[in-house]
Amino acid sequence: WLWCWPPIPAAQHRSAARRCAAAFHARAALVGGDAEAPRGSALASGAGAAESAALGAARHLQIVGAPGLAHTWSCRAARHFGSEHGRLLCSSLEAESWEGHARNLTS
């Protein structure tokens, strides 16, 4: 459900725009960069952009009510890029319960 096509009814426009934004950010995050690249290099700046994109995807997914996918993207940013924001969001989502996920207060 992360695709932006076909167009949807205007009543669902706000949610659809968020889903499209999440899809855009997720695709950008997958392009990556190298988290181990020397600081200041093009590969390192690509990693920073990919980290921001992963966090952007997580934020949009959280807003549209997809906490499982938001959790996945925030934890990916934490794990792959060492993102502090990603760790915080990952932990906060882990502490919530949603369909198919029991609340975990030990993370």
Side-chain angles (χ1 to χ4, degrees):
W1 63 275
L2 286 177
W3 296 103
C4 299
W5 195 259
I8 53 122
Q12 299 172 347
H13 178 69
R14 189 170 185 86
S15 178
R18 289 279 183 188
R19 288 194 309 269
C20 287
F24 172 81
H25 281 91
R27 288 183 202 124
L30 292 174
V31 172
D34 186 352
E36 303 297 320
R39 190 176 192 161
S41 69
L43 281 175
S45 67
E51 175 189 348
S52 293
L55 293 170
R59 283 190 304 270
H60 287 294
L61 289 164
Q62 190 176 22
I63 290 169
V64 297
L69 292 171
H71 178 257
T72 298
W73 281 106
S74 60
C75 294
R76 182 182 194 279
R79 207 173 34 255
H80 191 71
F81 301 108
S83 170
E84 183 177 343
H85 185 199
R87 281 192 298 275
L88 291 170
L89 185 54
C90 179
S91 293
S92 72
L93 287 165
E94 188 66 31
E96 294 180 18
S97 64
W98 65 82
E99 186 177 333
H101 179 267
R103 199 170 176 193
N104 180 357
L105 299 177
T106 61
S107 291

